[in-house]
Amino acid sequence: MTQFASVSLASSAINTTPSAIPGSPNDNYSRLLAPITVGKKRFRNRAIMGSMHTGLEDDPANAPKLAAYFAERAQGGAAAVVTGGYSPNQLGVLSPYAQPFNNHEMVQAHKQVTAAVHEHGSLAFLQLLHAGRYAFHMESVSASATQAPISPFPSRALSDEEVAQTVQDFANAAKLAAQAGYDGVQIMGSEGYLINQFLSSRTNQRDDRWGQQRSLFALEVARAVRKAVPADFLVDFRMSMLELVEEGQTQTEILELARGLEEAGVDMLSTGIGWHEAQVPTVITSVPRAAFSWATARVKKHVNIPVISSNRINTPEVAEQVLAGTWDDTGVETDFVSMARPWLADPEFINRVQAGHANQINHCIACNQSCLDHVFENKRTTCLVNPRAGYETQLTLQPINGGHVGAGEPAGKAYPEKAAPKAAVIGGGVAGLFGAEALAKRGYSVEVFEAADTVGGQFRLAMQIPGKEEFHYSLQSVLARLDAQNVKITASTPMTAHEAFAAGFDEVVIATGVRPRIPEIPGIEQAMAGEFDVDVITYAELLSGAKQAGDKVAIAGAGGIGFDVAEYLVEAPASADITAEPTPATINEWESAWGVSRRADLPGNLERPHPPRAQREITMLQRKPSPQGLGLNRTTGWVHRISVAAAGVKQFSGVAYMKIDNDGLHLNVPVNDAAKTSKAIRKAQKAGDKAKVAELEDDLKNNRTDTVLDVDTIVLCTGQESVIEADFESLTEDQRSRVHVIGGADVAAELDAARAIRQAVELAAELKR
Ligand code: NAP
Ligand code: SF4
């Protein structure tokens, strides 16, 4: 595994705002941990678990799972939890299978949720969300008859009576929420859902009272809800503080709405940023932390009720500074921070802060891979770094032999050292590290052996990609937790299963990961041996700093790693030392790249973007004729596709690699743009035009030409192969039953960290001794 050898953990701390480094000894969380009373409700601190759809909402039968999910977060110190969105009526449900919050069955089911949350000292809010034109069904409605660019369903305009009825439906749902034991509701007025659709001229073209005053619907909903609920019941309104879509509200309109909502009796204002159809990312890793705290601070200056900041707040340090108004120099104190995904990643977020172990917080890397992506794929939400999220009742880490082992406690506490069964984890990538943690939690005495001189595997490479620097913190935190659990990590020590058993281990987990696949192309071996003017290097050699790319680069393979490498090469100047520590973009740089303006009068706060342009020639290649990047993750892939195209990276699909020599990379390529042709094929297939399909397919196959790509470097991003050196032959049958292969070592194809970590934790949960 030479690809990791040249980077050491110590040399990889990233440059960011110095006070944002988690767990530094001078951390002071006095604002974050300070209690506050709003109306008659006391919040024990300022950390709210924000709303996140889990997929458990849609069926009341899932209430016990939902209760367990929220109970863990309440137990972990959240001041309040906010449920996923519930529609106040049938038209507003997100999916055709979802139930609205308008019936007795829902009230009864949710009493379990509120009781579980209250038992652990937290407050519970129900989010009321009418999807409007984001409803994924045929009955979709909106302010006007429009179709969202992200929805296959056109929506019809609600009639005047229907709008008035919808207002009453919100009030009724809030009343039922109070009966179910909730402490408050959060009215979802942002992210492009129905209320937001009424607020913006983009989607509200009505000429009746609801269009003449676009804020009327939002204000009427707020007034009706306030009137319908008990006096001590809290009404939180999540307003769109920054629209990020064309014809979105201006800041001036937003501030006016905030004042109107306060007058309407709203107790708190939560932050929503960007519509779901916005072409500006708002939550993924490449968005700088707390990049929108300035927008919340602006609203705070104009109202006298508490405001709640959100988006890309994922450490207590950032939270503390946002609350203090020292983040992004807003100078305005805000009252709460709402974090959603960080609570998925670590249900013990606040407990760890209070215990002085902030550096152990399981760090949300804002990848969206197992949470938001799952929402859009109609799967249950979970978390890449915490596969137990959403599966609290199913994936449990029971102490072995009836011992008691709590999260974060040293393994030795449950077992006298010599009595604990011993597990060797061979391979210190993320599967190995998270698996070791789960085993230690169960009470195993665990040791990790890594052949390279440092651990981290693919995460160590990923953190070199611009916008993925935070993978570093994920690694640091799992290492801190392993340290607290007395898990020993031994680097530079290759180990076999046979050796592990000889050393007295009871269980052996093989987590040796993957190595880059070297495709069979004539001349590739000579090029890799340095015999040609063209260098062929693997993505691992490039990202680890072992080798460098020149001025004219071909990227072979346009999967997730091909795109990562393209973005890496765009940002890293050709002559610079690419082993230097990565530096995330500042908020100002990021705003300029994506065209986000802070001007008060600009609809949607959008202006012309200035994305970074590649300072060298980069060409991405793939054999499939389809457009590149189609397989990237659902909610983040579009960001990578836009970034790479905007940087001027050339893309060729449908290529055949012929040979490599001193002239460069010889290709056989379709004469016409393969990506366009394959799009046309799909269109003709949909239209049932078989003759057109045959004609286009023939063009792709037979209308081709040879060409030579004049490059000095070819970076191989052509997939991976498993690394598995286990000598199973020399093991006894009993030993073989105690060897467990996980992660990329098990299956390299389409490896992703979510699968690897889940497999590791499931293995740890299932091991019986
Ligand atoms: P991948 O997505 O499967 O891409 C591998 C690429 O190599 C494909 O473009 C494939 O396309 C090409 N390829 C495969 N075998 C080849 C061969 N023998 N010769 C030439 N080309 C070959 O895998 P990856 O990029 O290595 O990523 C690994 C995993 O990490 C994937 O599951 C990926 O989803 C995940 N990941 C995702 C992201 C993200 O979403 N941003 C980022 C990094 C990694 P052709 O065969 O058509 O050329
Ligand atoms: Fe965060 Fe990724 Fe987990 Fe979602 S899946 S909570 S983004 S780490």
Side-chain angles (χ1 to χ4, degrees):
M1 298 170 73
T2 52
Q3 62 263 45
F4 312 129
S6 66
V7 191
S8 80
L9 266 180
S11 69
S12 64
I14 69 169
N15 289 330
T16 180
T17 312
S19 50
I21 295 169
S24 66
N26 296 324
D27 288 335
N28 171 354
Y29 304 108
S30 56
R31 286 171 199 273
L32 178 61
L33 299 178
I36 182 174
T37 300
V38 181
K40 294 201 168 122
K41 303 278 183 187
R42 184 177 183 275
F43 293 74
R44 58 187 166 182
N45 59 58
R46 307 306 179 94
I48 293 176
M49 179 185 180
S51 174
M52 179 119 201
H53 203 72
T54 60
L56 294 170
E57 291 81 6
D58 300 343
D59 182 354
N62 283 327
K65 291 189 182 117
L66 211 51
Y69 163 78
F70 282 122
E72 280 205 12
R73 275 79 196 166
Q75 196 173 11
V81 302
V82 187
T83 66
Y86 287 88
S87 176
N89 61 28
Q90 193 64 48
L91 286 178
V93 294
L94 276 163
S95 84
Y97 317 106
Q99 276 205 34
F101 201 86
N102 66 354
N103 56 68
H104 187 64
E105 192 191 0
M106 276 294 198
V107 172
Q108 287 307 110
H110 279 256
K111 283 183 178 169
Q112 298 171 60
V113 176
T114 53
V117 171
H118 290 153
E119 190 186 333
H120 298 292
S122 182
L123 302 177
F125 283 66
L126 183 89
Q127 190 190 66
L128 296 178
L129 179 156
H130 189 303
R133 70 178 197 161
Y134 284 167
F136 203 78
H137 55 72
M138 310 280 281
E139 303 298 317
S140 147
V141 293
S142 185
S144 300
T146 58
Q147 182 169 359
I150 56 171
S151 169
F153 303 107
S155 64
R156 68 169 177 86
L158 287 164
S159 69
D160 177 72
E161 296 74 36
E162 285 177 314
V163 181
Q165 182 56 50
T166 308
V167 170
Q168 287 315 310
D169 292 341
F170 268 99
N172 179 51
K175 199 164 130 190
L176 294 177
Q179 287 171 15
Y182 282 100
D183 302 281
V185 285
Q186 180 180 78
I187 301 169
M188 179 44 142
S190 62
E191 260 79 7
Y193 292 110
L194 182 71
I195 295 177
N196 210 174
Q197 290 159 28
F198 270 86
L199 286 165
S200 161
S201 61
R202 176 181 179 84
T203 36
N204 184 347
Q205 291 115 29
R206 303 173 74 103
D207 50 19
D208 62 0
R209 59 185 172 140
W210 307 106
Q212 284 158 8
Q213 186 195 347
R214 282 185 270 110
S215 60
L216 183 62
F217 179 59
L219 295 172
E220 287 292 295
V221 167
R223 285 187 201 114
V225 166
R226 180 71 275 165
K227 208 169 144 199
V229 294
D232 66 345
F233 188 83
L234 293 176
V235 179
D236 172 28
F237 192 100
R238 184 160 167 194
M239 52 177 293
S240 184
M241 298 200 183
L242 197 60
E243 300 264 78
L244 303 179
V245 285
E246 282 172 21
E247 298 177 78
Q249 298 173 88
T250 63
Q251 289 285 295
T252 309
E253 289 174 312
I254 286 165
L255 296 179
E256 204 175 304
L257 174 66
R259 280 190 295 262
L261 289 167
E262 181 178 7
E263 280 167 23
V266 161
D267 298 295
M268 315 159 73
L269 289 174
S270 280
T271 302
I273 300 290
W275 291 38
H276 285 317
E277 67 204 61
Q279 290 289 292
V280 177
T282 56
V283 293
I284 75 167
T285 326
S286 57
V287 177
R289 286 156 160 186
F292 310 108
S293 56
W294 62 269
T296 313
R298 253 185 211 179
V299 168
K300 174 68 186 172
K301 279 205 283 190
H302 284 76
V303 294
N304 298 303
I305 49 177
V307 299
I308 301 162
S309 299
S310 73
N311 282 55
R312 291 290 286 121
I313 299 169
N314 62 349
T315 72
E317 295 73 24
V318 178
E320 183 73 14
Q321 290 179 64
V322 167
L323 290 165
T326 52
W327 188 263
D328 197 19
D329 296 326
T330 64
V332 179
E333 292 179 19
T334 49
D335 306 285
F336 291 95
V337 287
S338 167
M339 298 177 279
R341 296 170 301 168
W343 281 103
L344 234 59
D346 197 335
E348 295 187 83
F349 193 99
I350 285 291
N351 282 358
R352 293 197 202 269
V353 174
Q354 275 168 331
H357 299 147
N359 64 337
Q360 292 178 24
I361 291 173
N362 197 6
H363 191 88
C364 164
I365 51 176
C367 63
N368 288 359
Q369 219 169 305
S370 301
C371 52
L372 279 178
D373 281 345
H374 278 207
V375 172
F376 286 95
E377 289 159 11
N378 268 328
K379 292 189 205 157
R380 194 188 310 177
T381 294
T382 180
C383 172
L384 181 143
V385 295
N386 174 22
R388 289 197 62 249
Y391 292 81
E392 286 74 13
T393 57
Q394 292 155 279
L395 182 50
T396 57
L397 296 171
Q398 300 293 339
I400 40 177
N401 283 1
H404 171 76
V405 179
E409 291 182 61
K413 190 165 174 184
Y415 267 96
E417 194 67 25
K418 56 183 174 356
K422 291 172 71 181
V425 175
I426 303 179
V430 285
L433 295 178
F434 282 86
E437 181 191 12
L439 285 165
K441 264 193 187 166
R442 289 201 59 203
Y444 283 90
S445 167
V446 187
E447 189 163 352
V448 178
F449 298 93
E450 167 60 50
D453 65 359
T454 187
V455 292
Q458 296 291 305
F459 263 36
R460 295 210 54 75
L461 301 178
M463 64 192 239
Q464 303 298 327
I465 309 300
K468 292 195 174 176
E469 295 85 356
E470 294 209 16
F471 284 60
H472 166 80
Y473 292 129
S474 179
L475 272 183
Q476 298 294 64
S477 70
V478 69
L479 290 175
R481 295 194 300 279
L482 289 173
D483 190 43
Q485 290 172 305
N486 297 331
V487 172
K488 193 172 166 200
I489 298 178
T490 310
S492 307
T493 307
M495 164 81 75
T496 64
H498 193 270
E499 287 165 346
F501 285 124
F505 286 95
D506 302 295
E507 304 284 346
V508 178
V509 179
I510 310 257
T512 38
V514 292
R515 62 166 71 90
R517 176 190 288 131
I518 311 296
E520 285 178 20
I521 306 173
I524 197 166
E525 280 172 21
Q526 295 94 309
M528 291 190 91
E531 290 173 25
F532 294 146
D533 296 339
V534 181
D535 281 334
V536 176
I537 64 178
T538 66
Y539 71 86
E541 288 170 328
L542 177 75
L543 298 178
S544 67
K547 295 200 175 157
Q548 298 190 13
D551 291 328
K552 292 191 264 182
V553 187
I555 299 172
I561 290 176
F563 271 81
D564 273 358
V565 163
E567 289 182 62
Y568 176 86
L569 290 170
V570 166
E571 303 246 332
S575 58
D577 172 11
I578 60 171
T579 62
E581 293 171 6
T583 313
T586 64
I587 295 176
N588 286 344
E589 285 165 351
W590 179 86
E591 285 175 345
S592 162
W594 287 94
V596 177
S597 161
R598 299 193 184 190
R599 270 174 51 187
D601 60 335
L602 215 53
N605 285 80
L606 289 178
E607 59 189 7
R608 198 162 74 82
H610 296 93
R613 298 282 300 173
Q615 298 302 301
R616 55 178 133 202
E617 282 178 33
I618 306 170
T619 308
M620 294 174 73
L621 304 168
Q622 80 173 16
R623 299 177 303 178
K624 287 183 287 294
S626 51
Q628 296 185 1
L630 289 186
L632 297 180
N633 295 339
R634 182 81 181 251
T635 62
T636 52
W638 64 274
V639 181
H640 300 297
R641 289 192 292 270
I642 289 179
S643 302
V644 162
V649 172
K650 292 190 204 124
Q651 299 181 347
F652 293 115
S653 296
V655 307
Y657 303 106
M658 305 309 288
K659 67 170 176 175
I660 300 165
D661 63 18
N662 274 327
D663 296 331
L665 176 58
H666 295 248
L667 299 170
N668 178 264
V669 297
V671 172
N672 295 314
D673 183 331
K676 278 191 188 151
T677 311
S678 64
K679 269 190 202 164
I681 291 175
R682 270 213 308 280
K683 205 170 153 195
Q685 279 167 339
K686 266 192 187 164
D689 188 344
K690 287 184 184 163
K692 187 76 183 166
V693 172
E695 180 198 329
L696 291 165
E697 282 180 346
D698 181 68
D699 182 68
L700 260 186
K701 200 170 158 201
N702 298 319
N703 187 16
R704 302 180 67 93
T705 183
D706 289 335
T707 185
V708 184
L709 212 54
D710 173 22
V711 290
D712 52 40
T713 316
I714 300 166
V715 185
L716 299 177
C717 303
T718 43
Q720 289 90 18
E721 290 165 353
S722 295
V723 175
I724 176 145
E725 324 285 9
D727 173 15
F728 293 116
E729 294 306 309
S730 61
L731 301 176
T732 64
E733 200 173 317
D734 170 57
Q735 284 174 330
R736 275 203 287 271
S737 73
R738 290 182 281 126
V739 175
H740 317 276
V741 184
I742 61 168
D746 181 28
V747 180
E750 292 176 11
L751 172 67
D752 70 60
R755 166 164 62 85
I757 294 174
R758 172 165 283 276
Q759 192 182 14
V761 175
E762 283 177 348
L763 168 72
E766 284 158 16
L767 271 194
K768 288 193 178 59
R769 275 193 68 81

